Amino acid sequence: MLKIKAQLKADIFERLKSRYPLSPSDIDFLYPPQLKMGDLALSLPFPLAKKLKANPRQIAQEMLVLLEGLPCVDKLEVAGAGYVNFFLEKKDFFKYRLRSIRTSSLRPEETKIIVEHTNINPNKAAHIGHLRNACLGDTLVRCLRDKGETVEVQNYIDDTGVQVVDVVFGVLELEKKSPADLETIEKFDYYCWDLYSRTVAYLDGHPETQARKTEILKRIEHGQNPESGLAHAISRRILTAHLATMKRIGVAYDVLPCESSILGLKFWEMAFALLKDKQGITYVSEGDNKGCWVMKLEDEAEKEKIIVRSDGTVTYVGKDIAYQLWKFGLLEKDFYYEPFLKDDGHTLWISTAAPNDSGQAFGGASKVYNVIDTRQSYLQKVVVQGLRALHFFRQAEKSNHFSYEMVALSPRSLKELNIEVSREEAGKAFHEVSGRKGLGVKADDLLNRLVEKALAEVDKRNPDLRPEQKKRTAGQIACGALRYFMLKYARNSLIIFDFDDALSFEGETGPYLQYTAVRLNSIFRKMEDREGVSLADIEKGLSSEGPEAAAWPEFPIESLAPEEVSSFWDLIIYAARLEEEILHSVESLEFSHLAKFAFNLCQKLNAYYHRYPILAEENKAVKNMRIATIYFARQVLARTLDLMGVPVPERM
RNA sequence: GCGCCUGUAGCUCAGUGGAUAGAGCGACGGACUCCGGAUCCGUAGGUCGGAGGUUCGAAUCCUCUCAGGCGCGCCA
């Protein structure tokens, strides 16, 4: 569709440029609200009417004559107050689409793109908010890769932050446990979830313990045991749990850059030298911020952001600026790496400050996406401003904050979790998820409930499947349900989490999409069983120009009833939009578009095969048309689901 | 106080300045012994928070206003 539209636009411009005052960018198509009005429309007569002080409908009529006989166009029509509607040549379009189904018209634009997502503090179990982050980030990665981009996926690990310190404090001072004791604890991330919120409450209630916490922090920073070893063991173990959780929903990473390595390799010191050198930051010698290094803010001249505290330590933003510089290869220094785990032949690397000869290198991207929720918008803005302060304007331009609203809990879901809230919070419409308070739905709990429900359904519908097949299918359904749920809302929409919504398998849900794909596959499987024609045979016949194609009859659209032609065409013309939907989603970072596209496609597909029998059709020509139709739609759907990370079970 | 975001059907949400504002859920009524009913078809349900403005055309852009949310630290 992208190609055809581009070609048509160029042709139209050629035909019209001498008659009307136009530039190529003035010519753009929109989709008519109804299929019977046409496949594409030009609203060009309206702006022209204004410029020329003429009647738009009259201009449209004139245009019609000039545009007569364009390639790929079957018919033109003037409609409404002055639209020019295009009806495409159906058979040619369909034939062309089938033959080019394996070739993408999308092209990469960058040398390397870094996407950073997930970034969960390694001190507690992952919760639903983290799932939204990972689903959005991973879908972006899949779309960029589909586009042909080289993508590096990073999951930043803050293994020396105060959140880890809190848990170390809890283990040593509240639990009085040794590193060896921890080895025996199962579901370690769940254990820490409780311990963390308990410790936070304890620290809040006992200000006198603050000194001990500070001491732990210092000892961790200086690598002193047992605190340092404990922090390392805890963060690695939690990290492993997070990775296992994310694997359940098909999310994987290339590299895990750690805060400890940033400190160990003195990335900040290098960034600090750069900032001072280029005068991106200034030293304050009097006033409230005396003794600090600060950055002036661009839009708020009177405000300044502290980058280095008066005690000489660096703030969060400062470290983030250093990290962002590294991502663009502007620090002229890299981490060292060692393998963290291997999975399906893919090695996940973790950064280390200790020199080694792994030969691995990461970073040095031409474009960066940071997937972080909207509450960090201000800080992300400051980080980009830091790049500009260093005169890295191109990199600042290519720094993208992929922001999204948080996931909160409905009062009903709180009740279901048996969580009590304070009286002043009881009336709220939603409750913010908080690791500090232990307030939230743990990712694995939600996934387990999805699996449990899916398993019951599979058991009911496919009792003949082997238990491990049932389990596998239930896992895939849970994954599909969750990923679609996280994708279907626009990113600026606050998700007020409710178990009933998330656990639904009917209507606009992941399982609905999966069901559609499974049913289609089942038609092709039956065809192979009954007629000995495999999907591969069909693919060969339909998508090639060689001798196999000769075996496949021409596409006899004319043998279909008019009503069926419009159902067929509605499906094909819509499915052909996938690539522009991908581009649109990536450009706007709005993957609810892609989700909506998948859902609409499935609605059309379900309605189509429900209405028109495929295998039972006796008219050979009609049957072939229907097979070709669902074959095309199946390929598009498979690609779409893959982009969203929604797996397709064998049966369900 | 300043900045950002949100307000659309009973509920949850879509809706690139374009034609009669759409889905899902819920409600009600239907679907052929047939490729699987996690499906399909139909009915009901709307002053797009409010008021101005720009435009041939506004849910969409601008101004004001009301309501809600989130940010704005020598925390991370």
Side-chain angles (χ1 to χ4, degrees):
Chain A
M1 200 59 152
L2 277 172
K3 260 187 179 166
I4 289 182
K5 276 168 79 169
Q7 185 58 51
L8 273 175
K9 280 185 210 172
D11 289 347
I12 292 168
F13 179 69
E14 280 308 310
R15 300 253 189 130
L16 299 184
K17 68 177 179 188
S18 55
R19 176 69 185 79
Y20 303 105
L22 283 177
S23 73
S25 62
D26 292 331
I27 297 169
D28 203 5
F29 289 109
L30 47 101
Y31 291 105
Q34 283 175 45
L35 191 66
K36 64 177 183 199
M37 296 175 177
D39 305 317
L40 294 169
L42 281 180
S43 58
L44 189 60
F46 295 105
L48 282 180
K50 194 185 172 188
K51 246 188 235 176
L52 305 172
K53 302 207 189 307
N55 180 338
R57 210 175 151 97
Q58 212 167 346
I59 293 178
Q61 288 290 1
E62 274 174 36
M63 251 182 218
L64 209 62
V65 181
L66 293 169
L67 297 176
E68 211 53 58
L70 282 169
C72 309
V73 177
D74 180 38
K75 196 173 70 172
L76 291 170
E77 232 174 54
V78 172
Y83 296 94
V84 180
N85 289 346
F86 289 61
F87 294 79
L88 299 180
E89 180 52 64
K90 294 186 175 61
K91 196 188 280 192
D92 288 351
F93 182 85
F94 188 39
K95 219 169 7 177
Y96 170 75
R97 291 300 318 167
L98 282 168
R99 301 240 158 107
S100 59
I101 192 141
R102 291 282 171 200
T103 57
S104 172
S105 52
L106 303 179
R107 298 285 172 267
E109 294 161 277
E110 299 291 331
T111 53
K112 180 179 184 179
I113 298 179
I114 285 176
V115 177
E116 181 200 79
H117 67 78
T118 306
N119 298 11
I120 313 171
N121 273 309
N123 73 325
K124 59 178 178 299
H127 59 62
I128 45 175
H130 303 127
L131 288 175
R132 188 177 194 182
N133 184 301
C135 287
L136 291 172
D138 188 62
T139 304
L140 170 63
V141 170
R142 286 165 185 262
C143 286
L144 290 172
R145 286 189 173 146
D146 180 278
K147 220 184 130 211
E149 302 284 4
T150 302
V151 183
E152 190 170 291
V153 189
Q154 308 191 343
N155 177 6
Y156 178 74
I157 310 300
D158 185 2
D159 55 353
T160 53
V162 290
Q163 296 216 17
V164 174
V165 172
D166 284 338
V167 174
V168 171
F169 180 95
V171 167
L172 291 174
E173 305 299 320
L174 301 182
E175 298 281 278
K176 313 252 185 241
K177 283 197 158 109
S178 71
D181 296 334
L182 296 183
E183 301 279 332
T184 60
I185 295 169
E186 282 179 45
K187 285 179 117 184
F188 190 67
D189 55 336
Y190 277 42
Y191 167 79
C192 288
W193 175 277
D194 294 329
L195 179 57
Y196 175 49
S197 57
R198 203 145 46 83
T199 305
V200 166
Y202 178 84
L203 287 167
D204 284 349
H206 299 78
E208 73 281 3
T209 56
Q210 191 56 44
R212 173 61 180 135
K213 187 180 153 180
T214 309
E215 185 195 2
I216 292 175
L217 177 66
K218 285 263 147 60
R219 291 181 63 87
I220 289 174
E221 277 181 2
H222 293 101
Q224 291 164 302
N225 282 323
E227 292 85 351
S228 175
L230 201 52
H232 187 264
I234 290 170
S235 64
R236 291 303 161 106
R237 220 168 140 195
I238 298 278
L239 170 57
T240 304
H242 291 162
L243 294 173
T245 301
M246 293 308 166
K247 190 187 162 156
R248 296 178 77 181
I249 56 167
V251 175
Y253 314 87
D254 298 315
V255 61
L256 308 166
C258 298
E259 167 108 345
S260 57
S261 314
I262 291 186
L263 296 177
L265 291 168
K266 311 227 178 291
F267 277 20
W268 162 246
E269 283 75 358
M270 298 179 70
F272 191 26
L274 261 176
L275 281 162
K276 282 193 280 195
D277 185 43
K278 297 203 181 176
Q279 293 170 9
I281 55 176
T282 49
Y283 186 75
V284 182
S285 47
E286 52 192 37
D288 287 347
N289 298 337
K290 186 176 174 192
C292 299
W293 287 86
V294 302
M295 191 166 80
K296 295 262 187 260
L297 294 181
E298 286 167 3
D299 18 332
E300 301 161 278
E302 75 285 358
K303 269 182 106 173
E304 44 194 29
K305 183 78 196 163
I306 291 165
I307 306 295
V308 179
R309 302 181 188 102
S310 53
D311 66 359
T313 56
V314 60
T315 59
Y316 172 68
V317 211
K319 278 186 276 190
D320 240 27
I321 292 172
Y323 183 38
Q324 191 78 357
L325 288 171
W326 169 78
K327 285 180 185 169
F328 281 111
L330 298 171
L331 275 189
E332 290 161 15
K333 190 170 180 181
D334 196 359
F335 299 103
Y336 298 99
Y337 302 96
E338 51 194 41
F340 189 71
L341 53 84
K342 285 195 169 87
D343 192 29
D344 288 337
H346 178 77
T347 304
L348 171 62
W349 297 83
I350 191 161
S351 71
T352 169
N356 65 26
D357 53 3
S358 73
Q360 268 297 321
F362 291 102
S366 58
K367 186 172 190 173
V368 171
Y369 290 95
N370 296 329
V371 185
I372 318 178
D373 78 59
T374 181
R375 289 170 294 186
Q376 302 267 9
S377 295
Y378 172 72
L379 288 168
Q380 282 290 305
K381 225 171 83 180
V382 175
V383 168
V384 174
Q385 231 180 83
L387 293 186
R388 275 197 295 268
L390 290 167
H391 308 291
F392 294 127
F393 298 109
R394 193 171 50 83
Q395 288 82 356
E397 205 61 38
K398 297 270 188 177
S399 297
N400 293 278
H401 174 203
F402 182 174
S403 76
Y404 60 92
E405 258 294 352
M406 56 183 177
V407 182
L409 302 175
S410 68
R412 203 153 54 127
S413 55
L414 274 192
K415 217 174 195 177
E416 205 166 332
L417 292 164
N418 289 316
I419 296 175
E420 295 281 335
V421 290
S422 61
R423 204 163 340 118
E424 66 264 27
E425 291 196 346
K428 284 188 151 183
F430 63 87
H431 303 270
E432 189 173 346
V433 169
S434 164
R436 285 175 63 84
K437 294 182 192 158
L439 195 77
V441 176
K442 293 193 265 303
D444 279 325
D445 282 347
L446 175 59
L447 283 165
N448 291 344
R449 285 187 61 170
L450 284 164
V451 168
E452 190 187 343
K453 187 180 170 191
L455 196 57
E457 293 292 324
V458 172
D459 210 30
K460 201 164 71 194
R461 293 157 206 261
N462 302 65
D464 52 316
L465 288 178
R466 291 198 312 275
E468 61 270 26
Q469 276 180 299
K470 286 181 186 167
K471 231 180 116 184
R472 185 178 142 78
T473 304
Q476 290 174 314
I477 292 170
C479 170
L482 181 85
R483 293 198 60 140
Y484 190 81
F485 181 79
M486 290 300 179
L487 249 36
K488 77 174 183 179
Y489 298 95
R491 64 191 168 105
N492 273 333
S493 167
L494 173 76
I495 298 180
I496 301 177
F497 181 86
D498 197 272
F499 282 101
D500 286 352
D501 298 336
L503 289 168
S504 165
F505 290 172
E506 282 165 25
E508 198 192 338
T509 66
Y512 174 86
L513 308 184
Q514 293 174 307
Y515 178 75
T516 310
V518 167
R519 288 289 308 276
L520 279 186
N521 285 339
S522 144
I523 293 174
F524 286 106
R525 192 172 48 238
K526 283 240 156 54
M527 191 167 2
E528 185 164 7
D529 290 349
R530 293 182 193 174
E531 304 172 22
V533 184
S534 73
L535 193 62
D537 296 333
I538 295 168
E539 167 151 10
K540 244 188 237 161
L542 288 175
S543 61
S544 65
E545 310 247 17
E548 295 94 343
W552 196 268
E554 279 297 290
F555 303 104
I557 290 178
E558 53 285 347
S559 60
L560 303 179
E563 209 183 19
E564 183 172 345
V565 173
S566 65
S567 295
F568 146 80
W569 186 240
D570 186 24
L571 188 52
I572 297 305
I573 198 87
Y574 190 74
R577 279 199 215 177
L578 171 60
E579 289 185 344
E580 59 189 285
E581 294 294 340
I582 296 172
L583 280 187
H584 185 207
S585 296
V586 169
E587 273 157 21
S588 56
L589 293 175
E590 193 55 271
F591 295 97
S592 58
H593 292 315
L594 190 64
K596 197 59 79 179
F597 171 79
F599 176 65
N600 288 336
L601 181 63
C602 285
Q603 277 191 314
K604 289 178 197 292
L605 255 167
N606 273 319
Y608 179 85
Y609 76 64
H610 204 269
R611 182 147 183 205
Y612 303 106
I614 317 286
L615 300 178
E617 177 56 42
E618 290 179 359
N619 182 323
K620 191 79 181 138
V622 171
K623 183 173 173 180
N624 281 334
M625 266 308 293
R626 290 181 186 167
I627 291 172
T629 304
I630 63 162
Y631 165 77
F632 178 71
R634 192 205 96 99
Q635 301 306 90
V636 173
L637 179 59
R639 184 172 167 195
T640 311
L641 293 182
D642 191 48
L643 288 171
M644 296 194 296
V646 174
V648 179
E650 292 256 330
R651 285 158 204 271
M652 64 185 280

